[in-house]
PDB file of all heavy atoms in Angstrom:
ATOM      1  N   ALA A  89      20.710 -67.549  62.044  1.00 96.00           N
ATOM      2  CA  ALA A  89      21.652 -68.442  61.278  1.00 96.00           C
ATOM      3  C   ALA A  89      21.971 -67.857  59.964  1.00 96.00           C
ATOM      4  O   ALA A  89      23.155 -67.948  59.440  1.00 96.00           O
ATOM      5  CB  ALA A  89      20.845 -69.828  61.140  1.00 96.00           C
ATOM      6  N   ILE A  90      21.006 -67.173  59.258  1.00 97.00           N
ATOM      7  CA  ILE A  90      21.285 -66.552  58.015  1.00 97.00           C
ATOM      8  C   ILE A  90      22.187 -65.353  58.172  1.00 97.00           C
ATOM      9  O   ILE A  90      23.192 -65.150  57.334  1.00 97.00           O
ATOM     10  CB  ILE A  90      19.960 -66.221  57.305  1.00 97.00           C
ATOM     11  CG1 ILE A  90      19.218 -67.507  56.830  1.00 97.00           C
ATOM     12  CG2 ILE A  90      20.238 -65.278  56.037  1.00 97.00           C
ATOM     13  CD1 ILE A  90      17.809 -67.163  56.286  1.00 97.00           C
ATOM     14  N   HIS A  91      21.857 -64.549  59.170  1.00 96.00           N
ATOM     15  CA  HIS A  91      22.898 -63.496  59.357  1.00 96.00           C
ATOM     16  C   HIS A  91      24.330 -63.924  59.697  1.00 96.00           C
ATOM     17  O   HIS A  91      25.223 -63.303  59.260  1.00 96.00           O
ATOM     18  CB  HIS A  91      22.329 -62.540  60.585  1.00 96.00           C
ATOM     19  CG  HIS A  91      21.159 -61.519  60.166  1.00 96.00           C
ATOM     20  ND1 HIS A  91      21.536 -60.287  59.722  1.00 96.00           N
ATOM     21  CD2 HIS A  91      19.900 -61.789  60.140  1.00 96.00           C
ATOM     22  CE1 HIS A  91      20.432 -59.720  59.412  1.00 96.00           C
ATOM     23  NE2 HIS A  91      19.447 -60.528  59.657  1.00 96.00           N
ATOM     24  N   ASP A  92      24.465 -64.964  60.501  1.00 96.00           N
ATOM     25  CA  ASP A  92      25.762 -65.498  60.910  1.00 96.00           C
ATOM     26  C   ASP A  92      26.413 -66.077  59.624  1.00 96.00           C
ATOM     27  O   ASP A  92      27.632 -65.796  59.468  1.00 96.00           O
ATOM     28  CB  ASP A  92      25.662 -66.564  61.931  1.00 96.00           C
ATOM     29  CG  ASP A  92      25.311 -65.984  63.345  1.00 96.00           C
ATOM     30  OD1 ASP A  92      25.311 -64.750  63.506  1.00 96.00           O
ATOM     31  OD2 ASP A  92      24.886 -66.871  64.173  1.00 96.00           O
ATOM     32  N   TRP A  93      25.780 -66.810  58.803  1.00 97.00           N
ATOM     33  CA  TRP A  93      26.276 -67.336  57.549  1.00 97.00           C
ATOM     34  C   TRP A  93      26.748 -66.220  56.628  1.00 97.00           C
ATOM     35  O   TRP A  93      27.788 -66.327  56.062  1.00 97.00           O
ATOM     36  CB  TRP A  93      25.257 -68.229  56.916  1.00 97.00           C
ATOM     37  CG  TRP A  93      25.531 -68.586  55.515  1.00 97.00           C
ATOM     38  CD1 TRP A  93      26.433 -69.515  55.139  1.00 97.00           C
ATOM     39  CD2 TRP A  93      25.044 -68.007  54.248  1.00 97.00           C
ATOM     40  NE1 TRP A  93      26.508 -69.606  53.698  1.00 97.00           N
ATOM     41  CE2 TRP A  93      25.618 -68.696  53.254  1.00 97.00           C
ATOM     42  CE3 TRP A  93      24.108 -67.027  54.057  1.00 97.00           C
ATOM     43  CZ2 TRP A  93      25.248 -68.450  51.955  1.00 97.00           C
ATOM     44  CZ3 TRP A  93      23.759 -66.731  52.700  1.00 97.00           C
ATOM     45  CH2 TRP A  93      24.317 -67.386  51.737  1.00 97.00           C
ATOM     46  N   ALA A  94      25.913 -65.118  56.490  1.00 97.00           N
ATOM     47  CA  ALA A  94      26.297 -64.028  55.630  1.00 97.00           C
ATOM     48  C   ALA A  94      27.517 -63.386  56.090  1.00 97.00           C
ATOM     49  O   ALA A  94      28.359 -63.020  55.299  1.00 97.00           O
ATOM     50  CB  ALA A  94      25.075 -63.078  55.607  1.00 97.00           C
ATOM     51  N   LEU A  95      27.582 -63.154  57.362  1.00 96.00           N
ATOM     52  CA  LEU A  95      28.916 -62.531  57.954  1.00 96.00           C
ATOM     53  C   LEU A  95      30.150 -63.359  57.608  1.00 96.00           C
ATOM     54  O   LEU A  95      31.114 -62.888  57.297  1.00 96.00           O
ATOM     55  CB  LEU A  95      28.703 -62.369  59.490  1.00 96.00           C
ATOM     56  CG  LEU A  95      29.804 -61.650  60.198  1.00 96.00           C
ATOM     57  CD1 LEU A  95      29.897 -60.301  59.725  1.00 96.00           C
ATOM     58  CD2 LEU A  95      29.555 -61.646  61.779  1.00 96.00           C
ATOM     59  N   ARG A  96      30.004 -64.687  57.805  1.00 96.00           N
ATOM     60  CA  ARG A  96      31.097 -65.601  57.545  1.00 96.00           C
ATOM     61  C   ARG A  96      31.460 -65.672  56.077  1.00 96.00           C
ATOM     62  O   ARG A  96      32.767 -65.892  55.799  1.00 96.00           O
ATOM     63  CB  ARG A  96      30.817 -67.097  58.053  1.00 96.00           C
ATOM     64  CG  ARG A  96      30.686 -67.262  59.448  1.00 96.00           C
ATOM     65  CD  ARG A  96      30.746 -68.696  59.842  1.00 96.00           C
ATOM     66  NE  ARG A  96      29.692 -69.546  59.081  1.00 96.00           N
ATOM     67  CZ  ARG A  96      28.481 -69.812  59.388  1.00 96.00           C
ATOM     68  NH1 ARG A  96      27.999 -69.186  60.616  1.00 96.00           N
ATOM     69  NH2 ARG A  96      27.655 -70.481  58.683  1.00 96.00           N
ATOM     70  N   THR A  97      30.567 -65.471  55.216  1.00 96.00           N
ATOM     71  CA  THR A  97      30.831 -65.637  53.814  1.00 96.00           C
ATOM     72  C   THR A  97      31.031 -64.351  52.979  1.00 96.00           C
ATOM     73  O   THR A  97      31.181 -64.359  51.759  1.00 96.00           O
ATOM     74  CB  THR A  97      29.779 -66.395  53.072  1.00 96.00           C
ATOM     75  OG1 THR A  97      28.434 -65.725  53.246  1.00 96.00           O
ATOM     76  CG2 THR A  97      29.560 -67.847  53.768  1.00 96.00           C
ATOM     77  N   GLY A  98      30.956 -63.206  53.773  1.00 96.00           N
ATOM     78  CA  GLY A  98      31.151 -61.991  53.064  1.00 96.00           C
ATOM     79  C   GLY A  98      29.941 -61.385  52.366  1.00 96.00           C
ATOM     80  O   GLY A  98      30.001 -60.411  51.551  1.00 96.00           O
ATOM     81  N   ALA A  99      28.722 -61.975  52.654  1.00 96.00           N
ATOM     82  CA  ALA A  99      27.491 -61.369  52.158  1.00 96.00           C
ATOM     83  C   ALA A  99      26.939 -60.483  53.150  1.00 96.00           C
ATOM     84  O   ALA A  99      27.432 -60.321  54.185  1.00 96.00           O
ATOM     85  CB  ALA A  99      26.548 -62.600  51.825  1.00 96.00           C
ATOM     86  N   ASP A 100      25.849 -59.781  52.729  1.00 96.00           N
ATOM     87  CA  ASP A 100      25.138 -58.902  53.620  1.00 96.00           C
ATOM     88  C   ASP A 100      23.689 -59.466  53.799  1.00 96.00           C
ATOM     89  O   ASP A 100      23.048 -59.869  52.913  1.00 96.00           O
ATOM     90  CB  ASP A 100      25.027 -57.508  53.037  1.00 96.00           C
ATOM     91  CG  ASP A 100      24.147 -56.476  53.795  1.00 96.00           C
ATOM     92  OD1 ASP A 100      24.656 -56.104  54.884  1.00 96.00           O
ATOM     93  OD2 ASP A 100      23.071 -56.282  53.455  1.00 96.00           O
ATOM     94  N   ALA A 101      23.244 -59.348  55.034  1.00 96.00           N
ATOM     95  CA  ALA A 101      21.830 -59.764  55.346  1.00 96.00           C
ATOM     96  C   ALA A 101      21.223 -58.760  56.324  1.00 96.00           C
ATOM     97  O   ALA A 101      21.838 -58.345  57.264  1.00 96.00           O
ATOM     98  CB  ALA A 101      21.820 -61.126  56.019  1.00 96.00           C
ATOM     99  N   HIS A 102      19.945 -58.331  55.982  1.00 94.00           N
ATOM    100  CA  HIS A 102      19.249 -57.478  56.860  1.00 94.00           C
ATOM    101  C   HIS A 102      17.782 -57.739  56.835  1.00 94.00           C
ATOM    102  O   HIS A 102      17.253 -58.278  55.839  1.00 94.00           O
ATOM    103  CB  HIS A 102      19.552 -55.936  56.514  1.00 94.00           C
ATOM    104  CG  HIS A 102      19.219 -55.609  55.090  1.00 94.00           C
ATOM    105  ND1 HIS A 102      19.914 -55.664  54.079  1.00 94.00           N
ATOM    106  CD2 HIS A 102      17.953 -55.058  54.631  1.00 94.00           C
ATOM    107  CE1 HIS A 102      19.211 -55.218  52.921  1.00 94.00           C
ATOM    108  NE2 HIS A 102      17.990 -54.921  53.342  1.00 94.00           N
ATOM    109  N   ALA A 103      17.178 -57.314  57.962  1.00 92.00           N
ATOM    110  CA  ALA A 103      15.669 -57.584  57.996  1.00 92.00           C
ATOM    111  C   ALA A 103      14.926 -56.527  57.153  1.00 92.00           C
ATOM    112  O   ALA A 103      15.352 -55.409  56.920  1.00 92.00           O
ATOM    113  CB  ALA A 103      15.232 -57.584  59.526  1.00 92.00           C
ATOM    114  N   ALA A 104      13.766 -56.879  56.671  1.00 89.00           N
ATOM    115  CA  ALA A 104      12.948 -55.973  55.909  1.00 89.00           C
ATOM    116  C   ALA A 104      11.413 -56.308  56.247  1.00 89.00           C
ATOM    117  O   ALA A 104      11.211 -57.450  56.503  1.00 89.00           O
ATOM    118  CB  ALA A 104      13.245 -56.080  54.466  1.00 89.00           C
TER     119      ALA A 104
END
Side-chain angles (χ1 to χ4, degrees):
I90 290 171
H91 278 273
D92 290 348
W93 167 78
L95 185 63
R96 291 195 307 272
T97 59
D100 174 75
H102 63 271

